[in-house]
Amino acid sequence: MQGDYQRHIDRLNELGADAYPARLPDDIATADGLVIPGGESTTIGKLIGRYGVDKAILAAHADGKPIYGTCAGMIVLAKEIAEGTEESGGQAKLGILDITVARNAFGRQIDSFECVLDAPKITGDTGTPLTAVFIRAPIVTRVGNGVEVIAKHDDDIVFIRQGNVIASSFHPELTDDTRVHQYFLSLLNER
Ligand code: GLN
């Protein structure tokens, strides 16, 4: 609907998946998994509500289909948005992930940057660290029971998993590092 979906589609197809853009509820009902891209979470939240895509995502989740939210996608999946970082009037949230996120948490000075992150679950203990691109990114300020932290940037939680749902503050689709998408596809294969 909005945001950086085409690069996710390209990455997943390079890895042998059959990825396509999902705009309507049926596109999600027929898929084995779903990526909610980065972009603008307020806009994505409004659009998914308008077209009934929110209900299709909740149904996919209830079915156990793997879901991956990047950046704005992480915000849309969250149960709670930290006070002061929410748009006035509230913001549509799916509430699938038992986390609190603070939007635009890195501030104006450094609203975009690239770095490397340790994430042994994705890279193995001896693999090179993940390359991560952050763009006006959120951080996770609270995790509920059953939420596993996959990576931190300094002390900030930026990559989590809860059941078959993963979410990252950063954009792996903007790098040549395909390991996060491989990990997502491994969840689909397991299912
Ligand atoms: N700042 C955006 C938001 O709050 C997210 C940015 C992104 O997805 N790269 O929705």
Side-chain angles (χ1 to χ4, degrees), residues 5-20 33-35 68 173 178 180-185 188:
Y5 55 87
Q6 189 58 48
R7 283 182 194 257
H8 281 289
I9 291 172
D10 294 345
R11 279 286 172 280
L12 291 166
N13 285 334
E14 280 158 27
L15 293 170
D18 178 19
Y20 58 88
L34 175 71
V35 176
Y68 175 25
E173 78 284 6
T178 58
V180 175
H181 288 92
Q182 265 162 357
Y183 179 69
F184 175 65
L185 289 177
L188 272 72

Side-chain angles (χ1 to χ4, degrees), residues 23-104:
R23 296 195 174 87
L24 293 171
D26 278 355
D27 299 329
I28 292 169
T30 51
D32 297 314
L34 175 71
V35 176
I36 307 178
E40 187 52 46
S41 57
T42 311
T43 308
I44 295 174
K46 279 184 191 148
L47 290 174
I48 61 176
R50 187 175 306 163
Y51 295 102
V53 169
D54 51 354
K55 292 190 184 67
I57 297 173
L58 292 172
H61 177 243
D63 258 8
K65 291 181 182 177
I67 300 176
Y68 175 25
T70 52
C71 204
M74 171 193 257
I75 298 166
V76 172
L77 285 166
K79 200 168 252 178
E80 205 171 29
I81 298 175
E83 226 171 283
T85 72
E86 195 168 351
E87 301 254 315
S88 57
Q91 180 159 357
K93 297 177 287 279
L94 290 167
I96 286 175
L97 290 174
D98 187 12
I99 58 173
T100 304
V101 290
R103 296 178 67 189
N104 304 322

